[in-house]
Amino acid sequence: MTHSVTHTISVIVGSLRAGSLARKIALNAIALMPDGFEAKIVPIGELPLYNFDYDDPESAGTPTPAEYTSFRETLKAADGVLFVTPENSRTIPACLKNAVDIGSKPNSDVAWKGLPAGIISHSVGRMGGYSSQKNLRLALSYFDMPFPGQPEVFLGQSTSLLDSAGEFVDDSTVSFVRAYLARFAEVVREHQHS
């Protein structure tokens, strides 16, 4: 049975490595999205490092990169955004912070503003990327983005969660992530009708 797509979700992966655990977890999450939700990974690896000169009207000689404009327009066209990130040095990876900064400008048209968001963090240790998730929430806190409540998703010992094909090993992980995505979907629906 085919379900029509009613909501589009941009998925931002906080790792540039093609075979990263974060990307594999994101692909699992995309497959677990509720009916009517279509999610796609939005690449962030080619985004130039953020420089305010690109958005400063006083810097006429520094045009905004096309990659910035495309990224911002993709976010603004989405009904929600799902972040899937590892933890690097107790915080979010530099590529993800760069993407957050790019989406935060120009001040008159912030791509993140009010966009429903979900976060799945992971780490090879037991904490599940706790610090990265909290740092990402802090970076996004200015933009009035609605999030699902508890429980948050911290996937600890993430190397043991996936099989050789990159699929979740345990039904409990599948159920937990699916339940989180259902709550995220409800936030998206509520936001669209508000």
Side-chain angles (χ1 to χ4, degrees):
M1 187 164 128
T2 304
H3 297 276
S4 61
V5 174
T6 55
H7 303 283
T8 59
I9 305 299
S10 290
V11 179
I12 309 291
V13 178
S15 176
L16 303 184
R17 190 166 61 88
S20 74
L21 293 173
R23 181 169 297 277
K24 291 175 182 176
I25 291 167
L27 292 172
N28 278 272
I30 288 170
L32 294 172
M33 283 285 172
D35 288 341
F37 280 72
E38 180 180 60
K40 292 182 179 175
I41 293 174
V42 178
I44 61 173
E46 300 302 317
L47 294 171
L49 288 176
Y50 185 70
N51 181 339
F52 181 65
D53 281 347
Y54 294 137
D55 293 307
D56 185 355
E58 304 296 320
S59 298
T62 313
T64 304
E67 297 92 340
Y68 281 23
T69 303
S70 175
F71 179 69
R72 291 165 175 168
E73 292 303 318
T74 298
L75 293 176
K76 287 188 282 187
D79 297 309
V81 59
L82 176 67
F83 297 92
V84 182
T85 186
E87 181 172 298
N88 286 6
S89 305
R90 298 279 187 242
T91 189
I92 58 175
C95 61
L96 182 52
K97 180 57 166 64
N98 189 51
V100 169
D101 291 345
I102 291 166
S104 75
K105 298 289 186 284
N107 291 334
S108 60
D109 192 22
V110 174
W112 303 120
K113 189 70 177 167
L115 188 65
I119 302 175
I120 296 173
S121 63
H122 85 89
S123 69
V124 297
R126 294 181 181 276
M127 296 293 284
Y130 176 87
S131 293
S132 65
Q133 183 159 161
K134 293 308 178 185
N135 276 277
L136 180 56
R137 283 180 178 269
L138 179 61
L140 298 173
S141 63
Y142 185 69
F143 308 121
D144 197 26
M145 300 171 78
F147 286 87
Q150 301 292 330
E152 297 166 308
V153 181
F154 307 102
L155 299 179
Q157 297 180 309
S158 48
T159 52
S160 68
L161 298 180
L162 301 163
D163 62 20
S164 59
E167 304 287 331
F168 285 138
V169 174
D170 295 322
D171 289 342
S172 60
T173 306
V174 171
S175 298
F176 182 55
V177 172
R178 181 183 280 125
Y180 179 78
L181 294 172
R183 290 186 291 114
F184 168 58
E186 195 54 41
V187 172
V188 172
R189 289 189 196 100
E190 288 171 1
H191 183 265
Q192 195 166 47
H193 297 297
S194 62

